Amino acid sequence: MNVAQLLGDKGHDVFSVQPHRTLAEAVRTLAERRIGAVVVTGADGGLLGILSERDIIRALAQSGPAALETPVSRAMTAKVVTCRTQTSIDELMEIMTSGRFRHVPVLENDRVAGVISIGDVVKYRLAEVEAESRAMRDYIAMA
Ligand code: AMP
């Protein structure tokens, strides 16, 4: 299983925000879309960063409620680790574990073609483990 197949199942929706928008606007997008991170893109759609709920918490802890009026560019992580559609799910788990983050944008021809969250990976792994256990039970029943 690779990222292309996982995106085929979950969809290619990408929720993004521009860097000059405020954290309050980004918070609204996170809440409305029920997601934990948005990619930050420029007017040309190029990837500039990623902003997760953790970045917003950090900004609030540092500056208090005034942080909500500051631009996304100040709180986002600019050095984004991305993957490709050919990346395997095992590789993706390794990337998330070693980087200690829960979101990875998928790049295709320099464009963000989707975002995989740790929730998507866990869902896929659970289905895989269940299928393995079902196959094992069927095998034992036949013996
Ligand atoms: P998360 O666990 O995804 O909520 O993010 C934890 C921290 O890692 C935040 O500071 C994010 O901005 C950052 N982060 C999230 N995803 C990535 C990524 N793919 N590459 C680099 N940093 C990231």
Side-chain angles (χ1 to χ4, degrees):
M1 179 88 166
N2 63 16
V3 164
Q5 290 162 293
L6 205 153
L7 280 183
D9 286 348
K10 79 153 247 183
H12 292 254
D13 283 347
V14 177
F15 301 113
S16 61
V17 66
Q18 293 199 320
H20 61 277
R21 295 287 176 189
T22 63
L23 287 191
E25 288 173 296
V27 164
R28 269 195 291 278
T29 301
L30 294 178
E32 280 166 16
R33 303 296 185 181
R34 297 170 170 267
I35 51 175
V38 278
V39 293
V40 184
T41 51
D44 62 355
L47 180 64
L48 299 175
I50 188 160
L51 180 83
S52 104
E53 49 203 6
R54 294 219 175 149
D55 300 314
I56 298 166
I57 296 290
R58 198 175 306 127
L60 284 170
Q62 274 167 8
S63 315
L68 291 172
E69 298 316 314
T70 62
V72 160
S73 56
R74 215 181 282 173
M76 71 183 193
T77 300
K79 206 165 173 233
V80 187
V81 178
T82 59
C83 68
R84 289 162 300 125
T85 50
Q86 308 94 301
T87 305
S88 73
I89 303 303
D90 284 349
E91 254 180 278
L92 198 60
M93 284 195 282
E94 175 58 33
I95 291 171
M96 286 182 175
T97 307
S98 59
R100 292 173 180 272
F101 43 68
R102 298 166 293 176
H103 301 88
V104 180
V106 184
L107 279 195
E108 208 175 17
N109 303 322
D110 289 335
R111 282 279 172 279
V112 185
V115 177
I116 307 281
S117 78
I118 201 159
D120 302 323
V121 174
V122 168
K123 192 172 159 198
Y124 154 75
R125 276 296 292 154
L126 269 181
E128 197 181 51
V129 167
E130 272 166 23
E132 277 166 14
S133 120
R134 204 174 313 119
M136 190 64 79
R137 276 200 305 272
D138 292 349
Y139 177 75
I140 292 167
M142 279 191 318

